Amino acid sequence: MKLKVSAQPIPDVLLLEPTVFVDDRGYFKESYNLHDFEEFLPGVKFVQDNESKSTKGVLRGIHFQKPPHAQAKLIRVIQGSIWDVA
């Protein structure tokens, strides 16, 4: 997998876009690859993956955490769009 990684205006916020392979059967993408994450996010230890589905208009919060309990956040949008506030 090769990720397209784009820095965002907010420090430490990155947009990660995986390569998506599309054909007449549908699509395939690698959603996580340790090697790629280590290349683009050295020192980040990805240890947990959660998924939720929300209907239109739902507000969800992913809260900031101070050390020693700080965690990097990875947000994935499978369908539709989100307004992400950091």
Side-chain angles (χ1 to χ4, degrees), residues 10-73:
I10 300 171
D12 298 326
V13 174
L14 300 172
L15 176 61
L16 308 176
E17 298 177 88
T19 301
V20 180
F21 301 93
V22 180
D23 63 22
D24 59 345
R25 299 169 293 174
Y27 73 90
F28 173 83
K29 72 177 176 182
E30 195 173 70
S31 59
Y32 174 75
N33 179 296
L34 178 62
H35 178 266
D36 286 346
F37 271 63
E38 286 178 338
E39 178 181 344
F40 295 110
L41 302 166
V44 173
K45 185 177 179 185
F46 186 58
V47 296
Q48 182 176 336
D49 181 29
N50 301 322
E51 184 173 322
S52 67
K53 179 181 179 186
S54 302
T55 57
K56 185 176 181 177
V58 168
L59 175 65
R60 292 193 182 268
I62 299 177
H63 306 286
F64 175 78
Q65 296 160 298
K66 293 182 180 180
H69 304 290
Q71 293 179 333
K73 307 292 192 247

